[in-house]
Amino acid sequence: MKKFLALLLALTMVFALAACGEKAPAEETPADAPADAPAEEAPAEGVTIQVAAVSTAFTDNYPEMWTDIAAAFEAETGIKVELIEDKNLEDVIGPSMQGNEYPDVVYLPVGRPAALTEQFVKDKLVADITDVMDMTVPGEDVKVSEKISDGFLDTSITAPYADGKTYLAPMFYDPCGLFYNAGLFEEKGWEVPTTWDEMWELGDKAKEEGISLFTYPTTGYFDAFLYGLMYSVGGPEFFEKATRYEEGIWDTPEAQTCFDIIAKLATYTNPVTPAQANDQDFKQNQQLVLDNKALFMPNGSWIAGEMEDSPKADGFKWGMTAIPAVKDGGDRYSFCWFQQSWIPAGAENIDAAKQFIAFLYSDKAQEIFAKGGAVQPITGAAETIEDAQKKEFLAIYDSGAKPAMGGFASYKAVAGLGSVREVFLDPVNGLVSGNVTVDEWVNGIKEASVQMNANLQ
């Protein structure tokens, strides 16, 4: 098991919602998922599928979420569901999949340390689910593609091979941004910064009162931050080139501005952050904001539910803002993050699994997901959320922020070449602690980008 996970870590590549990679040769399309084979919309009753779902903050909020989904799906289709749930899902299903025994459906997003989903995509072991988009949602009279919001099927994570086909189904979206204690700002009479110059001014004020300007849960949370920053600095054109590792892109003024902002932000970061920036202690960094020991942290709209039972400073109220603009009047961005479900190409019951994927976009499923605070990327889903706080977060795009979608393109595994997270994000810990210089970080990005570009998938 340790060897298996070590292999996954060694080969890890952090995908994001990115520009497309090269077109995959036709012969590399998963053999178990023929592109022209129509999905069977009504598999025979009595079939049992195995669904493996990672436990997240949503199931912390509503532990019966997937059990209720399974029951509703069975009632609608007659297909039975055997559930596997665990916070460390990779440890549970990894050994059996290594022996070619696969769940029929896997809910496991990219970006996790074990990078299991990334590994299956890299090895082209994920079934083609393009035909699911033309299927009728079980229990409704509308196609899946007609329910999914614009943009979610046009990313390199849902269509990683740039072949016009969908392999990962978009799930549970959340706007990401900078979260803070709005009550503290009201108490101090502070304005929320809209530019980086205003951010530095506020950082100096806060420092005089023993409060750090910034913290972050783990370096992994810097992905959405970096994407929003790149958009705000150079717009979509710079973002597209940077996330494709275009030659010379990291020597441009836009790239230098990004490096300068992150390097300066590191000097304003609470010094205990790096020691707690791991999967076990990350909530302690989030607690810094709740205790008024740091003003801002990058996160997603799930944070309020995740920290609901944590102690908070008197008068605490959640606030959320977009990444500041580089100059007054400039665009401000909030990254739109989402999770994914997929079908292993070697799954035994692919037709029934596709029915399950289609059901996930039903109104009935969204009503269940809403109890855990999860929002599917379908029209009107946000209205099912009763939590007024989360609704407020979801409305960030209605209050001046622009949505940012996209991220770094995937690339083939190369000996000695780290993942995007290892190259771009993890060194932030060293910037804060002083163990890594800005030049070391930037030079590492430039050197790795050459190989990343040369090995785009």
Side-chain angles (χ1 to χ4, degrees), residues 29 44 61 70 79 124 172 181 233 285 292 309 318 338 408 437 446:
T29 299
N61 296 339
I79 302 170
K124 301 187 184 299
F172 307 155
N181 177 4
V233 168
N285 283 336
N292 291 337
D309 297 328
W318 283 110
F338 66 85
F408 287 107
T437 68
K446 291 180 179 179

Side-chain angles (χ1 to χ4, degrees), residues 86-288:
D86 201 273
K87 286 186 177 296
N88 298 307
L89 187 65
E90 300 90 338
D91 294 346
V92 177
I93 65 176
S96 61
M97 292 204 298
Q98 190 178 19
N100 296 321
E101 296 181 10
Y102 304 99
D104 295 298
V105 178
V106 179
Y107 159 56
L108 184 70
V110 299
R112 289 171 59 84
L116 181 59
T117 297
E118 288 91 330
Q119 181 65 27
F120 267 67
V121 172
K122 184 191 75 66
D123 289 341
K124 301 187 184 299
L125 297 175
V126 179
D128 177 0
I129 58 171
T130 307
D131 52 0
V132 173
M133 302 305 125
D134 288 326
M135 289 170 56
T136 301
V137 176
E140 300 181 5
D141 59 0
V142 62
K143 290 183 178 181
V144 172
S145 61
E146 294 172 339
K147 295 201 71 172
I148 296 179
S149 301
D150 291 343
F152 283 92
L153 296 177
D154 302 323
T155 72
S156 68
I157 198 165
T158 53
Y161 311 122
D163 57 1
K165 300 173 184 177
T166 301
Y167 293 86
L168 276 70
M171 297 276 293
F172 307 155
Y173 81 94
D174 277 285
C176 298
L178 298 178
F179 290 78
Y180 62 96
N181 177 4
L184 177 64
F185 276 68
E186 293 174 3
E187 175 188 332
K188 299 292 186 181
W190 291 340
E191 296 289 332
V192 177
T194 59
T195 68
W196 282 106
D197 284 342
E198 292 174 355
M199 184 69 86
W200 309 135
E201 292 175 7
L202 177 60
D204 292 336
K205 286 182 182 179
K207 186 176 181 180
E208 293 176 358
E209 301 197 28
I211 305 173
S212 297
L213 176 67
F214 193 69
T215 187
Y216 51 88
T218 70
T219 55
Y221 283 71
F222 256 92
D223 56 1
F225 175 89
L226 179 58
Y227 302 146
L229 179 62
M230 288 194 291
Y231 263 101
S232 67
V233 168
E237 183 178 356
F238 170 68
F239 181 84
E240 172 78 10
K241 293 178 179 179
T243 53
R244 296 283 297 172
Y245 325 106
E246 183 175 291
E247 182 179 356
I249 192 64
W250 304 117
D251 293 311
T252 61
E254 292 86 356
Q256 189 60 53
T257 298
C258 289
F259 294 144
D260 290 345
I261 288 173
I262 293 177
K264 189 168 185 176
L265 193 58
T267 67
Y268 281 89
T269 299
N270 191 298
V272 306
T273 298
Q276 300 174 163
N278 55 68
D279 291 341
Q280 291 73 45
D281 303 318
F282 71 97
K283 285 189 176 180
Q284 295 183 40
N285 283 336
Q286 295 177 167
Q287 188 66 40
L288 295 175

